[in-house]
Structures are given as C-alpha cells and as structure tokens.
Amino acid sequence: MNKKIIIIVVAVLLVAGGAAFFLLGNSKKEPVMYKHLYDPEQMVTNIKEGKHLLKTAIVLEVETKKKELDDKTLKLLDSQKIQMRDIMNSILKAKTLTELESDEIKDKLRNEIVTALKKELELDILVTIYYNDFVIQ
C-alpha cells in the first residue's frame, strides 16, 4: 500500500513538474515594439476628372524594436520616399471626385495605400497611415 502511495505521489509530482516547465520554461516573450511616425511630405495631385486637385499630407506609422527611430531605418525610409510618394500619388489620382467625397474614403485609401506600400516596397515595418491634411479644391 505504501509503495502505491509513493508511486502515485512521484507520478503526480513528475506530471506537475513537466507541466510547469512546459508552461513557464517555453514561454517566449514577444519583443517590445515601438511605433514611430515618418512624414514623406505634403502632396498635391490631380484627381481622375482632371478639374480638381487633392492636397494631402500622409504620415506613415512604422514599428521597430528600437525606442528611437534609428539611422538605419530612417535611411531606409528616406531612400524610398520618392517611390512611396509615387505609389500614393498613383492611388490618389485614380480616384474620382465622388469617391474622394464619400464618407468611407479615408479608411478605404488607408488600406489601399498600406497594402501597396508593403507589397511594392517590401515595407514590413509599416503599420498604418494618418492624414494630416486632406483637402479637395
């Protein structure tokens, strides 16, 4: 009888110890990510009908492991600024006045621009974009 109790206690301790090791020992902490803003400058573009202009300032939010935006990331973003602006400009000027005046256009454009920048420039650090300015004249 005593042997059975000892065997059961040892088995329970082994199972509990294994579970604790699995739960605590294998837990990998996600790295802390910091968000930064990058401004590729204001843009003015014709819209599809050609009679109106769209003036916008789009700011990119990027995510890195560093607390401050480091030189390497800043140089990467700066080196792709012309391509970023070209991609955003192409998307914006393809929209009609009716589309640009719709209520959901900013969210639609946000998704379209983020997807295009990530795909075309392989910009995996891009999280989202913000509008500082969005004026149709």
Side-chain angles (χ1 to χ4, degrees):
M1 184 84 163
N2 283 341
K3 283 186 178 183
K4 283 185 180 181
I5 292 174
I6 292 173
I7 290 174
I8 291 172
V9 168
V10 168
V12 168
L13 289 174
L14 286 173
V15 170
F21 176 77
F22 179 76
L23 293 174
L24 299 175
N26 285 343
S27 65
K28 292 182 179 177
K29 291 184 179 179
E30 291 292 321
V32 175
M33 300 298 283
Y34 298 95
K35 295 183 179 179
H36 311 282
L37 298 177
Y38 178 77
D39 185 0
E41 300 171 9
Q42 189 175 59
M43 299 186 327
V44 177
T45 186
N46 292 332
I47 58 176
K48 196 171 188 176
E49 285 113 12
K51 297 176 186 175
H52 297 278
L53 294 174
L54 171 64
K55 180 179 99 172
T56 186
I58 296 175
V59 177
L60 283 63
E61 180 180 75
V62 296
E63 193 172 57
T64 68
K65 293 179 184 177
K66 306 222 175 174
K67 198 169 190 171
E68 299 295 325
L69 193 57
D70 60 277
D71 287 341
K72 181 181 175 186
T73 305
L74 190 56
K75 284 179 184 175
L76 169 71
L77 293 170
D78 283 341
S79 72
Q80 295 181 328
K81 185 189 296 190
I82 294 170
Q83 293 93 330
M84 285 178 205
R85 290 174 54 84
D86 182 61
I87 291 166
M88 291 187 288
N89 190 38
S90 296
I91 292 169
L92 294 170
K93 73 180 185 180
K95 303 300 178 202
T96 64
L97 180 61
T98 306
E99 288 175 304
L100 291 171
E101 290 178 332
S102 70
D103 292 336
E104 62 277 344
I105 190 62
K106 287 186 179 179
D107 288 334
K108 183 180 178 196
L109 281 173
R110 180 176 286 117
N111 292 333
E112 200 173 333
I113 290 170
V114 168
T115 301
L117 290 175
K118 282 184 171 186
K119 180 183 175 190
E120 299 295 322
L121 301 178
E122 298 179 2
L123 203 57
D124 296 330
I125 61 173
L126 179 60
V127 177
T128 191
I129 63 167
Y130 300 103
Y131 302 98
N132 269 354
D133 212 357
F134 197 88
V135 179
I136 301 168
Q137 295 179 334

